[in-house]
Amino acid sequence: MQKTQIQVLLVEDNPLDVILLRQSLEKDALASFELKEAVRLNSALDLLQKESFDMILLDLGLPDSQG
């Protein structure tokens, strides 16, 4: 069975959280996740203008935004 490919934008400024999330997603038996990372909201918004994503995982406490 072929895994579904899911494009994910991960907006997270904590490197440990990024590692933990990557490890968790790699264990998924039904989907393969391709992650693009941004550490600031402005960087994420720039990526969104250039690329499309199936899912966005967003930290609500970033250096350049809150909530």
Side-chain angles (χ1 to χ4, degrees):
M1 180 171 78
Q2 188 172 0
K3 289 185 172 187
T4 301
Q5 181 73 24
I6 299 175
Q7 304 295 321
V8 180
L9 173 56
L10 174 58
V11 188
E12 174 61 64
D13 62 329
N14 184 328
L16 182 57
D17 287 344
V18 172
I19 292 169
L20 292 173
L21 182 65
R22 278 189 180 276
Q23 290 173 346
S24 294
L25 293 176
E26 287 172 358
K27 295 177 184 176
D28 192 293
L30 300 176
S32 175
F33 297 91
E34 181 178 329
L35 265 64
K36 294 275 179 134
E37 299 173 30
V39 295
R40 297 188 182 275
L41 183 60
N42 287 332
S43 301
L45 293 172
D46 289 342
L47 275 172
L48 283 169
Q49 290 181 348
K50 299 172 188 171
E51 300 180 45
S52 63
F53 297 91
D54 301 309
M55 176 174 33
I56 299 172
L57 300 175
L58 176 63
D59 179 357
L60 295 177
L62 296 167
D64 62 341
S65 66
Q66 289 294 318

